[in-house]
Amino acid sequence: MITLALSKGRIFDETLPLLKAAGIEVLENPDTSRKLILTTNQPGVRVLLVRATDVPTYVEHGGADLGVTGKDTLIEHGGQGLYQPLDLQIAQCRVSVAVRADFDYASAIRQGSRLKVATKYTAIAREFFASKGVHVDLIKLYGSMELAPLTGLADAIVDLVSTGNTLKANHLIEVERIMDISSRLVVNQAALKLKRAAIRPLLDAFSRAIAASETP
């Protein structure tokens, strides 16, 4: 049995065509089913639904053989014990710094001000600001990041940005782009050795599907 860990939402939806290219179709809709383990048309493959931040942990400790997770999650997790064979080039977005529209970020940086930064991506934010020589106090938040500058909790946020519409709706502006993000396939290292005959064809099918999507 091969177990694939996925999170609901964009990653799940954008992984489906890759699975289909490998001849695998999920037989249940995660939006309507209450099940957390979904069957597929392949009796030897099942899908585990977990929180996005938990995907690397399930794969690392053998709760799943492989999974799909964002580069941002992998950096925060550390990626220990994980083989990362493929950038699937799905769920693309970016990690950026955003502030209130009336906050002079450039001036604050230039003057060496100590910034309060709210984020759930503390490892990414810490490394980014350290590389710029900017002193920051990091405030760990898990949701509604846009509220932090609006309520005075923080001067800036570090968060995922896709279209930028949520920032605009909350009168925030993107001031620095830290890195581009896409989702990676991660594989448990022991599973890769023990279940190589089952996992390798899956990796090859994903690779072919990615290559085909890049062909103009």
Side-chain angles (χ1 to χ4, degrees):
M1 176 66 71
I2 297 294
T3 302
L4 171 67
L6 294 176
S7 55
K8 284 186 181 182
R10 188 177 172 192
I11 285 180
F12 184 93
D13 294 340
E14 295 188 23
T15 301
L16 288 181
L18 295 175
L19 287 173
K20 192 170 184 180
I24 299 168
E25 295 188 33
V26 181
L27 299 180
E28 295 161 277
N29 185 338
D31 295 326
T32 55
S33 173
R34 298 183 70 87
K35 294 180 182 178
L36 298 177
I37 299 177
L38 307 181
T39 57
T40 72
N41 64 331
Q42 301 287 343
V45 180
R46 63 180 183 172
V47 170
L48 205 65
L49 291 179
V50 300
R51 287 178 66 99
T53 50
D54 290 338
V55 169
T57 303
Y58 269 86
V59 177
E60 179 189 352
H61 294 285
D65 300 303
L66 60 167
V68 177
T69 188
K71 179 183 175 183
D72 52 312
T73 303
L74 273 175
I75 292 172
E76 293 297 318
H77 174 270
Q80 300 95 339
L82 297 174
Y83 175 54
Q84 303 175 35
L86 289 174
D87 178 355
L88 300 177
Q89 298 174 26
I90 60 172
Q92 295 183 348
C93 53
R94 58 194 180 274
V95 178
S96 292
V97 183
V99 299
R100 285 192 327 270
D102 61 354
F103 181 78
D104 192 343
Y105 176 79
S107 178
I109 294 292
R110 199 164 50 244
Q111 293 171 11
S113 302
R114 191 177 188 93
L115 299 179
K116 291 186 294 180
V117 179
T119 185
K120 71 175 179 179
Y121 302 108
T122 52
I124 292 173
R126 186 178 294 111
E127 184 175 335
F128 173 72
F129 286 110
S131 71
K132 292 171 65 71
V134 176
H135 297 290
V136 295
D137 294 317
L138 295 178
I139 302 168
K140 180 94 172 187
L141 289 181
Y142 292 93
S144 302
M145 214 66 63
E146 295 80 13
L147 279 174
L150 303 179
T151 58
L153 178 67
D155 302 308
I157 62 173
V158 169
D159 202 12
L160 290 183
V161 178
S162 183
T163 63
N165 291 338
T166 304
L167 293 178
K168 289 176 187 173
N170 288 284
H171 310 292
L172 302 180
I173 56 172
E174 191 177 351
V175 288
E176 291 209 77
R177 186 188 194 117
I178 297 177
M179 66 175 63
D180 291 325
I181 296 294
S182 56
S183 289
R184 267 59 175 174
L185 184 70
V186 293
V187 185
N188 176 277
Q189 291 184 351
L192 187 62
K193 294 175 184 174
L194 298 172
K195 302 182 180 181
R196 188 175 186 84
I199 291 177
R200 192 74 247 178
L202 195 57
L203 300 186
D204 292 342
F206 277 16
S207 294
R208 287 193 298 272
I210 295 164
S213 68
E214 291 177 333
T215 304

